[in-house]
Amino acid sequence: MSDYEDQMNGMLDQIGGMVNLTVEEREEVTKSGADVLKKNMPTVTPYNGRRKHGDIDHLRDSFEVGQIQGEPEDGHTGFGFAKKGKDGVNHARIARFVNDGTVKKASTHFIDKGFIQFQGAVNEAMAKKLSDVQLRKAKK
């Protein structure tokens, strides 16, 4: 796990214990943060304008938000590249090569840089959604 994910999990555990959120409410909070990443990460994803688009989606178009297959439904919201998009291409694998580099291509670390760059916006969105959930619960 990344440091960022550990921080988010720690914050979620702390918040969950303080306000006793249901799984659905936790999903609301974490999904709001993942949606911010889905909106902003394409801006830092490398793009080759000379490539012919054809039937294969670009990495910028292949971000997904949702439940991670095989993980328990405990309020987490997954964010990442399509493992197998509608075009049949494993974009997660391609993104790894672009991010980490290969023997012939230097690494870009765009994923790490993007997470760091948008961390404040993600936390802000999650805090706002948490506040909305708490206000909604208080009115019951």
Side-chain angles (χ1 to χ4, degrees), residues 10-133:
M11 184 176 93
L12 198 60
D13 290 341
Q14 183 181 17
I15 290 169
M18 288 189 326
V19 296
N20 198 18
L21 296 176
T22 66
V23 170
E24 292 80 17
E25 291 165 340
R26 282 178 155 211
E27 285 176 358
E28 276 184 68
V29 173
T30 58
K31 186 176 182 314
S32 67
D35 288 340
V36 169
L37 282 175
K38 185 176 181 177
K39 177 183 155 206
N40 292 316
M41 282 299 285
T43 63
V44 297
T45 303
Y47 179 77
N48 181 353
R50 297 173 298 177
R51 189 193 95 179
K52 291 188 183 347
H53 195 68
D55 294 335
I56 300 173
D57 285 341
H58 194 277
L59 283 178
R60 288 183 176 183
D61 304 324
S62 63
F63 287 106
E64 290 185 345
V65 170
Q67 178 67 27
I68 299 172
Q69 186 176 359
E71 290 288 317
E73 291 191 30
D74 59 356
H76 285 86
T77 301
F79 168 78
F81 291 95
K83 180 141 184 178
K84 194 127 187 176
K86 61 184 181 272
D87 51 16
V89 175
N90 186 341
H91 292 280
R93 181 175 181 262
I94 295 169
R96 187 182 136 239
F97 290 135
V98 173
N99 186 67
D100 299 343
T102 64
V103 171
K104 296 183 179 185
K105 186 165 175 80
S107 60
T108 60
H109 300 294
F110 74 95
I111 296 171
D112 304 326
K113 292 175 184 174
F115 282 160
I116 291 167
Q117 182 177 347
F118 303 120
Q119 185 175 8
V122 168
N123 289 340
E124 189 176 309
M126 288 174 57
K128 182 179 181 331
K129 180 56 79 172
L130 178 62
S131 175
D132 294 345
V133 167

